[in-house]
Amino acid sequence: CPHCRCWWTCENIRRTTWRGFILRMDIQDMAALCFKESKEEQYFGSSFWYFETPIQQKECIKWALKYEKDNAQVDPAKSNMGGYQSFSSDDFAELPFFETIKNTLYEFPSFMFDNWWLNINRKGDYNKVHTHPRSHISGVYYITDNYGALTFINPLQHNRLWENRIFGKPMELKVSAKPGDLILFPSDIPHFVDQHNTRNPRISISFNLYFEY
Protein backbone atom coordinates (compact mmCIF):
# COMPACT_ATOMS: atom_id res chain seq x y z
CA CYS A 1 0.00 0.00 0.00
CA PRO A 2 1.49 3.40 -0.93
CA HIS A 3 0.27 4.89 2.36
CA CYS A 4 2.06 2.30 4.46
CA ARG A 5 5.44 2.09 6.09
CA CYS A 6 6.13 0.20 9.23
CA TRP A 7 8.18 -0.51 12.22
CA TRP A 8 7.21 -3.84 13.61
CA THR A 9 4.31 -5.75 12.05
CA CYS A 10 0.98 -5.35 10.32
CA GLU A 11 -2.14 -6.59 8.56
CA ASN A 12 -4.93 -5.91 6.09
CA ILE A 13 -8.52 -6.97 5.02
CA ARG A 14 -10.72 -6.80 1.97
CA ARG A 15 -13.80 -8.39 3.39
CA THR A 16 -14.60 -7.93 7.04
CA THR A 17 -17.34 -9.46 9.09
CA TRP A 18 -19.15 -7.92 11.99
CA ARG A 19 -21.67 -9.79 14.12
CA GLY A 20 -22.25 -12.37 11.40
CA PHE A 21 -22.68 -9.97 8.48
CA ILE A 22 -20.02 -9.72 5.79
CA LEU A 23 -19.24 -6.08 5.06
CA ARG A 24 -17.90 -5.50 1.58
CA MET A 25 -16.14 -2.19 1.32
CA ASP A 26 -16.49 -0.12 -1.85
CA ILE A 27 -13.83 2.13 -3.39
CA GLN A 28 -14.91 5.15 -1.35
CA ASP A 29 -14.57 3.14 1.86
CA MET A 30 -11.07 2.10 0.88
CA ALA A 31 -10.14 5.67 0.01
CA ALA A 32 -11.13 6.67 3.53
CA LEU A 33 -8.69 4.26 5.14
CA CYS A 34 -7.34 5.63 8.36
CA PHE A 35 -4.12 3.75 8.89
CA LYS A 36 -0.84 5.55 8.26
CA GLU A 37 1.77 2.80 8.46
CA SER A 38 1.77 -0.98 8.24
CA LYS A 39 4.12 -3.90 8.00
CA GLU A 40 4.24 -7.67 8.22
CA GLU A 41 7.29 -9.36 9.72
CA GLN A 42 8.36 -12.88 10.60
CA TYR A 43 9.34 -13.93 14.11
CA PHE A 44 9.62 -17.49 15.44
CA GLY A 45 8.56 -18.69 11.97
CA SER A 46 5.22 -16.86 12.27
CA SER A 47 3.72 -13.68 10.83
CA PHE A 48 3.15 -10.64 13.00
CA TRP A 49 1.44 -7.45 11.79
CA TYR A 50 1.65 -3.84 12.87
CA PHE A 51 -0.46 -0.80 11.92
CA GLU A 52 -0.12 2.79 12.98
CA THR A 53 -3.48 4.58 13.00
CA PRO A 54 -4.63 8.06 14.02
CA ILE A 55 -6.45 8.17 17.35
CA GLN A 56 -8.54 10.63 19.32
CA GLN A 57 -6.82 9.62 22.51
CA LYS A 58 -8.62 11.83 25.04
CA GLU A 59 -12.02 10.64 23.85
CA CYS A 60 -10.89 7.00 23.84
CA ILE A 61 -9.49 7.23 27.37
CA LYS A 62 -12.72 8.87 28.56
CA TRP A 63 -14.74 6.06 26.94
CA ALA A 64 -12.54 3.35 28.48
CA LEU A 65 -12.73 4.73 32.02
CA LYS A 66 -16.51 5.13 31.73
CA TYR A 67 -16.81 1.58 30.43
CA GLU A 68 -14.81 0.34 33.42
CA LYS A 69 -17.07 2.28 35.80
CA ASP A 70 -20.27 1.02 34.16
CA ASN A 71 -19.02 -2.58 33.94
CA ALA A 72 -17.09 -2.88 37.18
CA GLN A 73 -17.12 -6.67 37.47
CA VAL A 74 -13.95 -8.19 36.02
CA ASP A 75 -13.57 -11.52 34.25
CA PRO A 76 -11.76 -13.93 36.64
CA ALA A 77 -10.76 -16.17 33.72
CA LYS A 78 -8.46 -13.57 32.15
CA SER A 79 -4.67 -13.22 32.48
CA ASN A 80 -4.53 -10.02 34.51
CA MET A 81 -2.85 -9.90 37.89
CA GLY A 82 -4.50 -6.85 39.38
CA GLY A 83 -5.91 -4.24 37.05
CA TYR A 84 -9.12 -4.44 35.06
CA GLN A 85 -10.10 -6.83 32.28
CA SER A 86 -13.73 -6.71 31.23
CA PHE A 87 -15.81 -9.72 30.34
CA SER A 88 -15.44 -10.49 26.64
CA SER A 89 -18.09 -9.17 24.29
CA ASP A 90 -19.06 -9.93 20.70
CA ASP A 91 -20.76 -6.55 20.31
CA PHE A 92 -18.12 -4.58 18.43
CA ALA A 93 -20.55 -1.69 18.05
CA GLU A 94 -19.63 -0.80 21.64
CA LEU A 95 -16.16 0.24 20.47
CA PRO A 96 -16.13 3.88 19.29
CA PHE A 97 -13.02 3.15 17.19
CA PHE A 98 -14.22 -0.13 15.64
CA GLU A 99 -14.44 1.48 12.20
CA THR A 100 -10.74 2.35 12.48
CA ILE A 101 -9.85 -1.27 13.23
CA LYS A 102 -12.18 -2.68 10.59
CA ASN A 103 -11.03 -0.33 7.84
CA THR A 104 -7.40 -0.91 8.68
CA LEU A 105 -7.83 -4.62 7.97
CA TYR A 106 -9.55 -4.18 4.63
CA GLU A 107 -7.05 -6.29 2.63
CA PHE A 108 -7.03 -9.25 5.01
CA PRO A 109 -8.46 -12.55 3.72
CA SER A 110 -12.10 -13.11 4.66
CA PHE A 111 -12.49 -13.44 8.41
CA MET A 112 -14.87 -13.03 11.32
CA PHE A 113 -14.40 -10.80 14.35
CA ASP A 114 -15.02 -13.02 17.36
CA ASN A 115 -14.78 -11.15 20.69
CA TRP A 116 -13.09 -8.21 22.43
CA TRP A 117 -12.33 -6.98 25.95
CA LEU A 118 -10.93 -3.90 27.66
CA ASN A 119 -7.62 -3.90 29.55
CA ILE A 120 -6.70 -1.24 32.12
CA ASN A 121 -3.49 -1.70 34.10
CA ARG A 122 -2.54 0.69 36.85
CA LYS A 123 0.72 0.86 38.77
CA GLY A 124 1.76 -2.63 39.88
CA ASP A 125 -0.62 -4.51 37.55
CA TYR A 126 0.53 -7.00 34.92
CA ASN A 127 -0.59 -9.94 32.77
CA LYS A 128 0.84 -13.42 33.16
CA VAL A 129 1.88 -15.67 30.26
CA HIS A 130 -1.10 -16.80 28.22
CA THR A 131 -2.41 -17.61 24.74
CA HIS A 132 -5.82 -17.03 23.11
CA PRO A 133 -7.50 -20.41 22.48
CA ARG A 134 -10.24 -21.02 19.89
CA SER A 135 -9.11 -18.26 17.52
CA HIS A 136 -6.62 -17.84 14.67
CA ILE A 137 -5.37 -14.27 15.06
CA SER A 138 -5.42 -12.01 18.11
CA GLY A 139 -5.00 -8.26 18.19
CA VAL A 140 -4.34 -5.43 20.59
CA TYR A 141 -5.28 -1.81 19.92
CA TYR A 142 -3.44 0.66 22.13
CA ILE A 143 -5.28 3.65 23.58
CA THR A 144 -2.18 4.62 25.59
CA ASP A 145 1.54 3.92 25.29
CA ASN A 146 2.44 0.39 26.36
CA TYR A 147 5.89 1.40 27.68
CA GLY A 148 7.54 -1.57 25.96
CA ALA A 149 5.72 -4.00 28.21
CA LEU A 150 4.44 -6.59 25.69
CA THR A 151 6.63 -9.67 25.27
CA PHE A 152 6.11 -12.65 22.95
CA ILE A 153 7.76 -16.01 23.69
CA ASN A 154 9.09 -18.36 21.03
CA PRO A 155 6.63 -21.29 21.13
CA LEU A 156 9.46 -23.63 20.11
CA GLN A 157 11.82 -22.58 22.88
CA HIS A 158 11.73 -25.98 24.56
CA ASN A 159 13.01 -27.74 21.42
CA ARG A 160 15.01 -24.88 19.91
CA LEU A 161 17.01 -23.51 22.82
CA TRP A 162 20.13 -24.63 20.94
CA GLU A 163 19.34 -22.04 18.24
CA ASN A 164 19.63 -19.32 20.85
CA ARG A 165 22.78 -20.72 22.44
CA ILE A 166 24.64 -21.43 19.18
CA PHE A 167 23.22 -18.99 16.61
CA GLY A 168 21.83 -16.25 18.83
CA LYS A 169 18.23 -16.72 17.67
CA PRO A 170 15.90 -14.79 20.00
CA MET A 171 13.62 -16.69 22.35
CA GLU A 172 11.56 -13.58 23.16
CA LEU A 173 10.33 -10.52 21.29
CA LYS A 174 9.66 -7.34 23.27
CA VAL A 175 7.31 -4.85 21.62
CA SER A 176 6.87 -1.12 22.18
CA ALA A 177 3.67 0.55 21.03
CA LYS A 178 2.17 4.00 21.17
CA PRO A 179 -1.44 5.27 21.13
CA GLY A 180 -3.24 4.20 17.96
CA ASP A 181 -0.96 1.26 17.24
CA LEU A 182 -2.67 -1.98 16.23
CA ILE A 183 -0.74 -5.23 16.58
CA LEU A 184 -1.88 -8.65 15.36
CA PHE A 185 -0.29 -12.04 16.00
CA PRO A 186 -1.10 -15.76 15.87
CA SER A 187 -3.33 -16.58 18.82
CA ASP A 188 -1.22 -19.53 19.96
CA ILE A 189 1.97 -17.47 20.52
CA PRO A 190 2.57 -17.24 24.30
CA HIS A 191 2.87 -13.66 25.55
CA PHE A 192 2.79 -11.58 28.72
CA VAL A 193 2.70 -7.94 29.82
CA ASP A 194 5.21 -6.52 32.30
CA GLN A 195 4.22 -4.80 35.51
CA HIS A 196 3.02 -1.24 34.98
CA ASN A 197 5.23 1.32 36.73
CA THR A 198 3.67 4.73 36.09
CA ARG A 199 0.74 6.62 37.62
CA ASN A 200 -1.21 6.97 34.38
CA PRO A 201 -3.17 3.82 33.47
CA ARG A 202 -2.09 1.63 30.56
CA ILE A 203 -5.17 1.05 28.39
CA SER A 204 -5.76 -1.23 25.43
CA ILE A 205 -8.40 -3.31 23.67
CA SER A 206 -7.75 -6.98 22.92
CA PHE A 207 -9.72 -8.97 20.38
CA ASN A 208 -9.77 -12.28 18.50
CA LEU A 209 -10.68 -13.20 14.95
CA TYR A 210 -10.75 -16.33 12.86
CA PHE A 211 -10.47 -16.93 9.13
CA GLU A 212 -13.22 -18.38 6.99
CA TYR A 213 -11.94 -21.40 5.07
PDB file of all heavy atoms in Angstrom, residues 19-47:
ATOM      1  N   ARG A  19     -20.464  -9.210  13.531  1.00  0.00           N
ATOM      2  CA  ARG A  19     -21.672  -9.786  14.123  1.00  0.00           C
ATOM      3  C   ARG A  19     -22.411 -10.625  13.099  1.00  0.00           C
ATOM      4  O   ARG A  19     -23.625 -10.556  12.972  1.00  0.00           O
ATOM      5  CB  ARG A  19     -22.572  -8.687  14.676  1.00  0.00           C
ATOM      6  CG  ARG A  19     -21.884  -7.850  15.728  1.00  0.00           C
ATOM      7  CD  ARG A  19     -22.809  -6.806  16.305  1.00  0.00           C
ATOM      8  NE  ARG A  19     -23.831  -7.410  17.135  1.00  0.00           N
ATOM      9  CZ  ARG A  19     -24.830  -6.733  17.681  1.00  0.00           C
ATOM     10  NH1 ARG A  19     -24.943  -5.446  17.499  1.00  0.00           N
ATOM     11  NH2 ARG A  19     -25.725  -7.356  18.428  1.00  0.00           N
ATOM     12  N   GLY A  20     -21.649 -11.417  12.302  1.00  0.00           N
ATOM     13  CA  GLY A  20     -22.251 -12.366  11.398  1.00  0.00           C
ATOM     14  C   GLY A  20     -22.535 -11.836  10.019  1.00  0.00           C
ATOM     15  O   GLY A  20     -22.911 -12.591   9.126  1.00  0.00           O
ATOM     16  N   PHE A  21     -22.402 -10.544   9.779  1.00  0.00           N
ATOM     17  CA  PHE A  21     -22.682  -9.972   8.477  1.00  0.00           C
ATOM     18  C   PHE A  21     -21.378  -9.631   7.777  1.00  0.00           C
ATOM     19  O   PHE A  21     -20.504  -8.994   8.352  1.00  0.00           O
ATOM     20  CB  PHE A  21     -23.522  -8.701   8.593  1.00  0.00           C
ATOM     21  CG  PHE A  21     -24.883  -8.967   9.175  1.00  0.00           C
ATOM     22  CD1 PHE A  21     -25.103  -8.814  10.536  1.00  0.00           C
ATOM     23  CD2 PHE A  21     -25.923  -9.387   8.375  1.00  0.00           C
ATOM     24  CE1 PHE A  21     -26.347  -9.066  11.092  1.00  0.00           C
ATOM     25  CE2 PHE A  21     -27.174  -9.631   8.927  1.00  0.00           C
ATOM     26  CZ  PHE A  21     -27.383  -9.477  10.282  1.00  0.00           C
ATOM     27  N   ILE A  22     -21.217 -10.046   6.542  1.00  0.00           N
ATOM     28  CA  ILE A  22     -20.021  -9.718   5.787  1.00  0.00           C
ATOM     29  C   ILE A  22     -20.176  -8.308   5.226  1.00  0.00           C
ATOM     30  O   ILE A  22     -21.151  -7.996   4.543  1.00  0.00           O
ATOM     31  CB  ILE A  22     -19.794 -10.708   4.637  1.00  0.00           C
ATOM     32  CG1 ILE A  22     -19.509 -12.098   5.210  1.00  0.00           C
ATOM     33  CG2 ILE A  22     -18.623 -10.263   3.768  1.00  0.00           C
ATOM     34  CD1 ILE A  22     -19.278 -13.142   4.153  1.00  0.00           C
ATOM     35  N   LEU A  23     -19.204  -7.452   5.519  1.00  0.00           N
ATOM     36  CA  LEU A  23     -19.239  -6.075   5.064  1.00  0.00           C
ATOM     37  C   LEU A  23     -18.267  -5.940   3.913  1.00  0.00           C
ATOM     38  O   LEU A  23     -17.068  -6.057   4.084  1.00  0.00           O
ATOM     39  CB  LEU A  23     -18.837  -5.130   6.203  1.00  0.00           C
ATOM     40  CG  LEU A  23     -19.637  -5.292   7.490  1.00  0.00           C
ATOM     41  CD1 LEU A  23     -19.093  -4.341   8.557  1.00  0.00           C
ATOM     42  CD2 LEU A  23     -21.108  -5.021   7.244  1.00  0.00           C
ATOM     43  N   ARG A  24     -18.757  -5.676   2.731  1.00  0.00           N
ATOM     44  CA  ARG A  24     -17.899  -5.499   1.575  1.00  0.00           C
ATOM     45  C   ARG A  24     -17.690  -4.004   1.357  1.00  0.00           C
ATOM     46  O   ARG A  24     -18.628  -3.264   1.145  1.00  0.00           O
ATOM     47  CB  ARG A  24     -18.506  -6.154   0.346  1.00  0.00           C
ATOM     48  CG  ARG A  24     -18.486  -7.676   0.419  1.00  0.00           C
ATOM     49  CD  ARG A  24     -19.112  -8.289  -0.817  1.00  0.00           C
ATOM     50  NE  ARG A  24     -18.945  -9.728  -0.814  1.00  0.00           N
ATOM     51  CZ  ARG A  24     -19.724 -10.564  -0.155  1.00  0.00           C
ATOM     52  NH1 ARG A  24     -20.727 -10.099   0.554  1.00  0.00           N
ATOM     53  NH2 ARG A  24     -19.508 -11.857  -0.186  1.00  0.00           N
ATOM     54  N   MET A  25     -16.454  -3.612   1.397  1.00  0.00           N
ATOM     55  CA  MET A  25     -16.142  -2.194   1.321  1.00  0.00           C
ATOM     56  C   MET A  25     -16.019  -1.767  -0.137  1.00  0.00           C
ATOM     57  O   MET A  25     -15.398  -2.439  -0.947  1.00  0.00           O
ATOM     58  CB  MET A  25     -14.835  -1.915   2.063  1.00  0.00           C
ATOM     59  CG  MET A  25     -14.882  -2.313   3.510  1.00  0.00           C
ATOM     60  SD  MET A  25     -13.304  -2.058   4.307  1.00  0.00           S
ATOM     61  CE  MET A  25     -13.168  -0.281   4.156  1.00  0.00           C
ATOM     62  N   ASP A  26     -16.609  -0.629  -0.485  1.00  0.00           N
ATOM     63  CA  ASP A  26     -16.490  -0.116  -1.845  1.00  0.00           C
ATOM     64  C   ASP A  26     -15.260   0.784  -1.954  1.00  0.00           C
ATOM     65  O   ASP A  26     -14.509   0.970  -1.011  1.00  0.00           O
ATOM     66  CB  ASP A  26     -17.759   0.625  -2.271  1.00  0.00           C
ATOM     67  CG  ASP A  26     -18.070   1.807  -1.364  1.00  0.00           C
ATOM     68  OD1 ASP A  26     -17.143   2.328  -0.715  1.00  0.00           O
ATOM     69  OD2 ASP A  26     -19.238   2.205  -1.310  1.00  0.00           O
ATOM     70  N   ILE A  27     -15.031   1.338  -3.144  1.00  0.00           N
ATOM     71  CA  ILE A  27     -13.830   2.129  -3.389  1.00  0.00           C
ATOM     72  C   ILE A  27     -13.772   3.344  -2.481  1.00  0.00           C
ATOM     73  O   ILE A  27     -12.709   3.723  -1.987  1.00  0.00           O
ATOM     74  CB  ILE A  27     -13.775   2.561  -4.872  1.00  0.00           C
ATOM     75  CG1 ILE A  27     -13.605   1.310  -5.744  1.00  0.00           C
ATOM     76  CG2 ILE A  27     -12.618   3.526  -5.111  1.00  0.00           C
ATOM     77  CD1 ILE A  27     -13.629   1.599  -7.223  1.00  0.00           C
ATOM     78  N   GLN A  28     -14.911   3.984  -2.227  1.00  0.00           N
ATOM     79  CA  GLN A  28     -14.915   5.152  -1.348  1.00  0.00           C
ATOM     80  C   GLN A  28     -14.510   4.776   0.062  1.00  0.00           C
ATOM     81  O   GLN A  28     -13.794   5.510   0.735  1.00  0.00           O
ATOM     82  CB  GLN A  28     -16.300   5.803  -1.339  1.00  0.00           C
ATOM     83  CG  GLN A  28     -16.621   6.553  -2.631  1.00  0.00           C
ATOM     84  CD  GLN A  28     -17.946   7.275  -2.522  1.00  0.00           C
ATOM     85  OE1 GLN A  28     -18.804   6.911  -1.731  1.00  0.00           O
ATOM     86  NE2 GLN A  28     -18.097   8.306  -3.323  1.00  0.00           N
ATOM     87  N   ASP A  29     -14.966   3.596   0.523  1.00  0.00           N
ATOM     88  CA  ASP A  29     -14.566   3.137   1.856  1.00  0.00           C
ATOM     89  C   ASP A  29     -13.055   2.970   1.914  1.00  0.00           C
ATOM     90  O   ASP A  29     -12.402   3.376   2.869  1.00  0.00           O
ATOM     91  CB  ASP A  29     -15.234   1.799   2.189  1.00  0.00           C
ATOM     92  CG  ASP A  29     -16.728   1.952   2.417  1.00  0.00           C
ATOM     93  OD1 ASP A  29     -17.127   3.008   2.920  1.00  0.00           O
ATOM     94  OD2 ASP A  29     -17.468   1.021   2.084  1.00  0.00           O
ATOM     95  N   MET A  30     -12.506   2.347   0.889  1.00  0.00           N
ATOM     96  CA  MET A  30     -11.072   2.100   0.880  1.00  0.00           C
ATOM     97  C   MET A  30     -10.281   3.396   0.818  1.00  0.00           C
ATOM     98  O   MET A  30      -9.203   3.515   1.396  1.00  0.00           O
ATOM     99  CB  MET A  30     -10.704   1.192  -0.292  1.00  0.00           C
ATOM    100  CG  MET A  30     -11.283  -0.213  -0.165  1.00  0.00           C
ATOM    101  SD  MET A  30     -10.774  -1.282  -1.510  1.00  0.00           S
ATOM    102  CE  MET A  30     -11.674  -2.774  -1.100  1.00  0.00           C
ATOM    103  N   ALA A  31     -10.821   4.380   0.105  1.00  0.00           N
ATOM    104  CA  ALA A  31     -10.136   5.668   0.013  1.00  0.00           C
ATOM    105  C   ALA A  31     -10.112   6.384   1.348  1.00  0.00           C
ATOM    106  O   ALA A  31      -9.285   7.265   1.575  1.00  0.00           O
ATOM    107  CB  ALA A  31     -10.813   6.547  -1.038  1.00  0.00           C
ATOM    108  N   ALA A  32     -11.039   6.006   2.220  1.00  0.00           N
ATOM    109  CA  ALA A  32     -11.135   6.667   3.530  1.00  0.00           C
ATOM    110  C   ALA A  32     -10.342   5.931   4.604  1.00  0.00           C
ATOM    111  O   ALA A  32     -10.522   6.159   5.778  1.00  0.00           O
ATOM    112  CB  ALA A  32     -12.600   6.765   3.952  1.00  0.00           C
ATOM    113  N   LEU A  33      -9.477   5.026   4.175  1.00  0.00           N
ATOM    114  CA  LEU A  33      -8.686   4.262   5.141  1.00  0.00           C
ATOM    115  C   LEU A  33      -7.964   5.185   6.102  1.00  0.00           C
ATOM    116  O   LEU A  33      -7.450   6.214   5.716  1.00  0.00           O
ATOM    117  CB  LEU A  33      -7.639   3.410   4.408  1.00  0.00           C
ATOM    118  CG  LEU A  33      -8.200   2.217   3.640  1.00  0.00           C
ATOM    119  CD1 LEU A  33      -7.076   1.529   2.903  1.00  0.00           C
ATOM    120  CD2 LEU A  33      -8.898   1.279   4.574  1.00  0.00           C
ATOM    121  N   CYS A  34      -7.904   4.743   7.351  1.00  0.00           N
ATOM    122  CA  CYS A  34      -7.344   5.630   8.364  1.00  0.00           C
ATOM    123  C   CYS A  34      -6.029   5.133   8.939  1.00  0.00           C
ATOM    124  O   CYS A  34      -5.561   5.670   9.924  1.00  0.00           O
ATOM    125  CB  CYS A  34      -8.350   5.852   9.484  1.00  0.00           C
ATOM    126  SG  CYS A  34      -9.095   4.347  10.079  1.00  0.00           S
ATOM    127  N   PHE A  35      -5.421   4.109   8.353  1.00  0.00           N
ATOM    128  CA  PHE A  35      -4.117   3.746   8.888  1.00  0.00           C
ATOM    129  C   PHE A  35      -3.021   4.472   8.131  1.00  0.00           C
ATOM    130  O   PHE A  35      -3.142   4.783   6.961  1.00  0.00           O
ATOM    131  CB  PHE A  35      -3.893   2.228   8.884  1.00  0.00           C
ATOM    132  CG  PHE A  35      -3.722   1.603   7.523  1.00  0.00           C
ATOM    133  CD1 PHE A  35      -2.468   1.538   6.947  1.00  0.00           C
ATOM    134  CD2 PHE A  35      -4.798   1.055   6.853  1.00  0.00           C
ATOM    135  CE1 PHE A  35      -2.293   0.941   5.709  1.00  0.00           C
ATOM    136  CE2 PHE A  35      -4.637   0.461   5.623  1.00  0.00           C
ATOM    137  CZ  PHE A  35      -3.380   0.400   5.041  1.00  0.00           C
ATOM    138  N   LYS A  36      -1.936   4.780   8.833  1.00  0.00           N
ATOM    139  CA  LYS A  36      -0.839   5.551   8.256  1.00  0.00           C
ATOM    140  C   LYS A  36       0.362   4.692   7.913  1.00  0.00           C
ATOM    141  O   LYS A  36       1.078   4.979   6.965  1.00  0.00           O
ATOM    142  CB  LYS A  36      -0.418   6.659   9.225  1.00  0.00           C
ATOM    143  CG  LYS A  36      -1.514   7.649   9.562  1.00  0.00           C
ATOM    144  CD  LYS A  36      -0.983   8.790  10.393  1.00  0.00           C
ATOM    145  CE  LYS A  36      -0.526   8.327  11.744  1.00  0.00           C
ATOM    146  NZ  LYS A  36      -0.121   9.439  12.629  1.00  0.00           N
ATOM    147  N   GLU A  37       0.612   3.644   8.678  1.00  0.00           N
ATOM    148  CA  GLU A  37       1.768   2.796   8.455  1.00  0.00           C
ATOM    149  C   GLU A  37       1.383   1.350   8.701  1.00  0.00           C
ATOM    150  O   GLU A  37       0.514   1.060   9.517  1.00  0.00           O
ATOM    151  CB  GLU A  37       2.916   3.178   9.393  1.00  0.00           C
ATOM    152  CG  GLU A  37       3.377   4.610   9.272  1.00  0.00           C
ATOM    153  CD  GLU A  37       4.559   4.887  10.183  1.00  0.00           C
ATOM    154  OE1 GLU A  37       5.199   3.923  10.615  1.00  0.00           O
ATOM    155  OE2 GLU A  37       4.823   6.054  10.452  1.00  0.00           O
ATOM    156  N   SER A  38       2.037   0.433   7.995  1.00  0.00           N
ATOM    157  CA  SER A  38       1.767  -0.975   8.241  1.00  0.00           C
ATOM    158  C   SER A  38       2.941  -1.819   7.780  1.00  0.00           C
ATOM    159  O   SER A  38       3.715  -1.426   6.917  1.00  0.00           O
ATOM    160  CB  SER A  38       0.491  -1.425   7.524  1.00  0.00           C
ATOM    161  OG  SER A  38       0.665  -1.368   6.126  1.00  0.00           O
ATOM    162  N   LYS A  39       3.049  -2.991   8.369  1.00  0.00           N
ATOM    163  CA  LYS A  39       4.120  -3.899   8.001  1.00  0.00           C
ATOM    164  C   LYS A  39       3.856  -5.284   8.542  1.00  0.00           C
ATOM    165  O   LYS A  39       3.284  -5.441   9.613  1.00  0.00           O
ATOM    166  CB  LYS A  39       5.469  -3.386   8.529  1.00  0.00           C
ATOM    167  CG  LYS A  39       6.663  -4.154   7.983  1.00  0.00           C
ATOM    168  CD  LYS A  39       7.965  -3.547   8.472  1.00  0.00           C
ATOM    169  CE  LYS A  39       9.150  -4.300   7.893  1.00  0.00           C
ATOM    170  NZ  LYS A  39      10.440  -3.725   8.366  1.00  0.00           N
ATOM    171  N   GLU A  40       4.278  -6.283   7.773  1.00  0.00           N
ATOM    172  CA  GLU A  40       4.239  -7.671   8.223  1.00  0.00           C
ATOM    173  C   GLU A  40       5.679  -8.142   8.375  1.00  0.00           C
ATOM    174  O   GLU A  40       6.520  -7.875   7.518  1.00  0.00           O
ATOM    175  CB  GLU A  40       3.508  -8.550   7.219  1.00  0.00           C
ATOM    176  CG  GLU A  40       3.532 -10.027   7.593  1.00  0.00           C
ATOM    177  CD  GLU A  40       2.777 -10.894   6.607  1.00  0.00           C
ATOM    178  OE1 GLU A  40       2.158 -10.335   5.683  1.00  0.00           O
ATOM    179  OE2 GLU A  40       2.824 -12.128   6.752  1.00  0.00           O
ATOM    180  N   GLU A  41       5.961  -8.825   9.486  1.00  0.00           N
ATOM    181  CA  GLU A  41       7.294  -9.358   9.720  1.00  0.00           C
ATOM    182  C   GLU A  41       7.197 -10.775  10.270  1.00  0.00           C
ATOM    183  O   GLU A  41       6.148 -11.193  10.762  1.00  0.00           O
ATOM    184  CB  GLU A  41       8.084  -8.465  10.682  1.00  0.00           C
ATOM    185  CG  GLU A  41       8.432  -7.116  10.086  1.00  0.00           C
ATOM    186  CD  GLU A  41       9.384  -6.313  10.961  1.00  0.00           C
ATOM    187  OE1 GLU A  41       9.861  -6.870  11.975  1.00  0.00           O
ATOM    188  OE2 GLU A  41       9.640  -5.150  10.627  1.00  0.00           O
ATOM    189  N   GLN A  42       8.292 -11.500  10.147  1.00  0.00           N
ATOM    190  CA  GLN A  42       8.359 -12.882  10.600  1.00  0.00           C
ATOM    191  C   GLN A  42       9.207 -12.996  11.861  1.00  0.00           C
ATOM    192  O   GLN A  42      10.343 -12.522  11.906  1.00  0.00           O
ATOM    193  CB  GLN A  42       8.971 -13.756   9.498  1.00  0.00           C
ATOM    194  CG  GLN A  42       8.135 -13.854   8.238  1.00  0.00           C
ATOM    195  CD  GLN A  42       6.911 -14.711   8.431  1.00  0.00           C
ATOM    196  OE1 GLN A  42       6.967 -15.780   9.044  1.00  0.00           O
ATOM    197  NE2 GLN A  42       5.780 -14.256   7.898  1.00  0.00           N
ATOM    198  N   TYR A  43       8.630 -13.602  12.887  1.00  0.00           N
ATOM    199  CA  TYR A  43       9.344 -13.926  14.114  1.00  0.00           C
ATOM    200  C   TYR A  43       8.942 -15.329  14.543  1.00  0.00           C
ATOM    201  O   TYR A  43       7.770 -15.693  14.440  1.00  0.00           O
ATOM    202  CB  TYR A  43       9.015 -12.942  15.236  1.00  0.00           C
ATOM    203  CG  TYR A  43       9.444 -11.524  14.951  1.00  0.00           C
ATOM    204  CD1 TYR A  43       8.533 -10.588  14.493  1.00  0.00           C
ATOM    205  CD2 TYR A  43      10.771 -11.133  15.129  1.00  0.00           C
ATOM    206  CE1 TYR A  43       8.930  -9.286  14.222  1.00  0.00           C
ATOM    207  CE2 TYR A  43      11.175  -9.834  14.857  1.00  0.00           C
ATOM    208  CZ  TYR A  43      10.247  -8.913  14.405  1.00  0.00           C
ATOM    209  OH  TYR A  43      10.643  -7.632  14.136  1.00  0.00           O
ATOM    210  N   PHE A  44       9.889 -16.122  14.987  1.00  0.00           N
ATOM    211  CA  PHE A  44       9.624 -17.486  15.443  1.00  0.00           C
ATOM    212  C   PHE A  44       8.963 -18.321  14.345  1.00  0.00           C
ATOM    213  O   PHE A  44       8.204 -19.252  14.631  1.00  0.00           O
ATOM    214  CB  PHE A  44       8.730 -17.515  16.688  1.00  0.00           C
ATOM    215  CG  PHE A  44       9.063 -16.506  17.741  1.00  0.00           C
ATOM    216  CD1 PHE A  44       8.064 -15.819  18.410  1.00  0.00           C
ATOM    217  CD2 PHE A  44      10.388 -16.228  18.089  1.00  0.00           C
ATOM    218  CE1 PHE A  44       8.364 -14.891  19.400  1.00  0.00           C
ATOM    219  CE2 PHE A  44      10.694 -15.307  19.071  1.00  0.00           C
ATOM    220  CZ  PHE A  44       9.689 -14.631  19.726  1.00  0.00           C
ATOM    221  N   GLY A  45       9.191 -17.976  13.079  1.00  0.00           N
ATOM    222  CA  GLY A  45       8.564 -18.691  11.975  1.00  0.00           C
ATOM    223  C   GLY A  45       7.102 -18.362  11.778  1.00  0.00           C
ATOM    224  O   GLY A  45       6.388 -19.081  11.075  1.00  0.00           O
ATOM    225  N   SER A  46       6.627 -17.263  12.374  1.00  0.00           N
ATOM    226  CA  SER A  46       5.219 -16.862  12.274  1.00  0.00           C
ATOM    227  C   SER A  46       5.114 -15.408  11.835  1.00  0.00           C
ATOM    228  O   SER A  46       6.044 -14.622  12.023  1.00  0.00           O
ATOM    229  CB  SER A  46       4.512 -17.035  13.624  1.00  0.00           C
ATOM    230  OG  SER A  46       4.523 -18.381  14.043  1.00  0.00           O
ATOM    231  N   SER A  47       3.970 -15.058  11.257  1.00  0.00           N
ATOM    232  CA  SER A  47       3.719 -13.679  10.830  1.00  0.00           C
ATOM    233  C   SER A  47       3.161 -12.852  11.981  1.00  0.00           C
ATOM    234  O   SER A  47       2.309 -13.315  12.736  1.00  0.00           O
ATOM    235  CB  SER A  47       2.727 -13.648   9.667  1.00  0.00           C
ATOM    236  OG  SER A  47       3.293 -14.228   8.507  1.00  0.00           O
TER     237      SER A  47
END
